[in-house]
Amino acid sequence: MTLYNVSDKARFDLTVIVLALLTAFGPLSIDMYLPAFGDIAASFSTESNRVELSLTSFFLGLFIGQLLYGTASDRFGRKPPLYFGLVLYVVTSIACAYAPNLESLIVLRFLQAIGSCAGLVIARAMVRDLYTPQASAQVFSFLILVMGIAPILAPLAGAYVTAVWGWQAIFIIVASLAVACLAIVHVRLPETRAPNTAVRIRSSLPIYWSVLRDPSFLRYSLSGGIAQSGLFAYITASPLVFIDHFGLSPTHYSWLFGANAVGIIGMAQLNAWILRRRDSRKILNKSLPVLAVVSVLLIVAGWNNFGLIGVLVPLFLYVSTLGMVFPNAMAGALAEQQERAGSASAVTGSLQFLIAGLISALVNVLGHQHELAMVFVMGGCGLTALIIYRLLR
């Protein structure tokens, strides 16, 4: 199959926009209901920190679900597994709206995540199908632009929808968006890989293991995943930190969340511009040390209790720097995985969300011990990402 450069503008605009829509369902499903934690807790007569378990189960679903789609997309082509995932997402989203108790919501969120991660896995595999490694880093930067819009608009929309119609309406809305996306995929998205009968589903584990044994894949995937897990620590704990600890209203919290999203969007677009002049791996060599320095500042701010502004500044810098780290780490992980791009996409995605789920659970536990546990966990993620990247060189 021909590999396209980003200079092929028509191909880039049409295909990548559809792929970006597919990657948006994961962030949308996470961010839109964050301002509703208090209302969900009140609805089920429980505490807000127990509602966080529905976010942890979502991360767990993203970890497991991506492994299901990887080999399937290499075996059956990209679009059939994508159809299945979107339909599952629609059904479980509607079920979430009618969950009778918190335990049911936690289970349904797990299943909803399995549906949503079809878009994450298959969109990344399609990027690898269609674009050269250098061009793919630019495409991933564009995907982050669209994924970054979700954190800006989703919490604001979630706060408004919850106030007017109740938290259940959030899940009806995302189900409706998935139906629309399903129609667009059917009409506009081309199939980028023909079915391959040589790929056996029962051979999934050996294929995944062979991908994991690739030193280059492991280096880029682990360092990028650990760095990104700091973002999920922020997503998980930020409602409690900024609403409960610092006393912000849900609306002000949504604006704060959106401001950090602007940072990662801006840096991702700067990364796309730099990629026209510099190799993606060289950019990663510079951006990971910057992230480590910011991580130290974040830990110092939390340790010395610098207050709201003292935490917000290094937090903004951490989230923004991910806009340069993540696209280049993803491009590096998939660069040499031509025939098993779907499987490699599944493995790297599962690794990232396994780490994210563990970090989400860790920040939930440590949050009972310290109000600002989030900043210490994020700082640890940034430092560990650089250490892993150096050790696996």
Side-chain angles (χ1 to χ4, degrees):
M1 177 175 291
T2 301
L3 294 180
Y4 293 91
N5 291 306
V6 175
S7 58
D8 187 344
K9 192 65 176 176
R11 186 86 184 188
F12 177 78
D13 287 344
L14 177 62
T15 304
V16 177
I17 288 174
V18 178
L19 296 177
L21 291 174
L22 291 172
T23 63
F25 280 101
L28 190 65
S29 302
I30 293 168
D31 301 326
M32 193 170 180
Y33 93 130
L34 293 179
F37 270 23
D39 290 72
I40 295 173
S43 177
F44 294 132
S45 301
T46 187
E47 298 176 354
S48 295
N49 62 349
R50 288 202 66 217
V51 179
E52 288 183 6
L53 294 175
S54 66
L55 188 57
T56 301
S57 71
F58 193 88
F59 290 149
L60 180 61
L62 288 172
F63 160 62
I64 295 175
Q66 292 188 73
L67 294 175
L68 300 177
Y69 293 107
T71 307
S73 70
D74 287 337
R75 166 64 180 84
F76 299 107
R78 306 304 188 204
K79 292 183 75 172
L82 183 56
Y83 289 143
F84 171 83
L86 287 173
V87 171
L88 178 62
Y89 181 85
V90 171
V91 172
T92 53
S93 296
I94 295 173
C96 283
Y98 295 98
N101 50 54
L102 181 59
E103 290 73 20
S104 298
L105 180 64
I106 291 170
V107 173
L108 288 168
R109 286 282 287 171
F110 171 80
L111 297 173
Q112 185 192 33
I114 290 179
S116 73
C117 65
L120 292 172
V121 171
I122 295 170
R124 286 193 301 256
M126 284 182 162
V127 171
R128 183 60 191 87
D129 291 340
L130 291 171
Y131 299 98
T132 63
Q134 185 73 4
S136 69
Q138 291 180 277
V139 175
F140 285 128
S141 293
F142 181 81
L143 298 189
I144 283 185
L145 169 63
V146 177
M147 291 172 68
I149 292 174
I152 294 175
L153 300 180
L156 291 171
Y160 178 81
V161 169
T162 301
V164 176
W165 293 296
W167 63 266
Q168 294 90 345
I170 292 173
F171 293 101
I172 299 298
I173 290 172
V174 296
S176 302
L177 292 175
V179 171
C181 190
L182 185 60
I184 295 172
V185 165
H186 181 68
V187 174
R188 290 290 186 180
L189 190 65
E191 177 60 82
T192 61
R193 182 185 176 95
N196 185 356
T197 56
V199 177
R200 302 294 182 185
I201 299 298
R202 62 175 176 268
S203 302
S204 297
L205 290 180
I207 292 172
Y208 291 153
W209 178 242
S210 68
V211 171
L212 276 172
R213 293 177 61 192
D214 186 324
S216 176
F217 171 86
L218 198 59
R219 182 192 190 200
Y220 288 104
S221 188
L222 273 182
S223 57
I226 292 171
Q228 190 191 29
S229 67
L231 177 64
F232 288 104
Y234 160 64
I235 290 171
T236 299
S238 58
L240 297 179
V241 170
F242 293 111
I243 296 176
D244 293 356
H245 178 64
F246 285 117
L248 297 182
S249 69
T251 301
H252 288 156
Y253 162 76
S254 300
W255 283 109
L256 180 153
F257 203 87
N260 285 318
V262 169
I264 193 172
I265 289 172
M267 197 64 74
Q269 299 320 295
L270 176 62
N271 180 66
W273 181 79
I274 296 175
L275 279 165
R276 300 170 189 165
R277 298 159 178 81
R278 297 286 186 273
D279 182 75
S280 64
R281 301 185 186 192
K282 291 181 179 179
I283 299 173
L284 188 61
N285 289 340
K286 300 294 185 182
S287 56
L288 269 175
V290 171
L291 185 69
V293 171
V294 171
S295 297
V296 172
L297 296 177
L298 195 56
I299 292 171
V300 170
W303 185 263
N304 292 280
N305 197 20
F306 284 167
L308 178 61
I309 301 301
V311 169
L312 283 181
V313 172
L315 176 65
F316 176 82
L317 294 175
Y318 185 103
V319 175
S320 299
T321 307
L322 289 178
M324 267 196 186
V325 170
F326 185 70
N328 298 303
M330 180 62 66
L334 299 182
E336 300 176 9
Q337 307 296 327
Q338 292 89 344
E339 291 303 316
R340 53 188 187 185
S343 298
S345 175
V347 173
T348 190
S350 291
L351 273 178
Q352 289 162 6
F353 284 105
L354 172 61
I355 297 169
L358 294 174
I359 292 299
S360 173
L362 176 64
V363 78
N364 183 278
V365 171
L366 295 181
H368 295 288
Q369 312 299 322
H370 197 289
E371 298 89 344
L372 296 178
M374 177 190 77
V375 301
F376 301 122
V377 173
M378 291 180 68
C381 290
L383 292 172
T384 303
L386 178 62
I387 293 171
I388 292 294
Y389 189 72
R390 298 295 190 192
L391 287 178
L392 295 181
R393 179 181 301 176

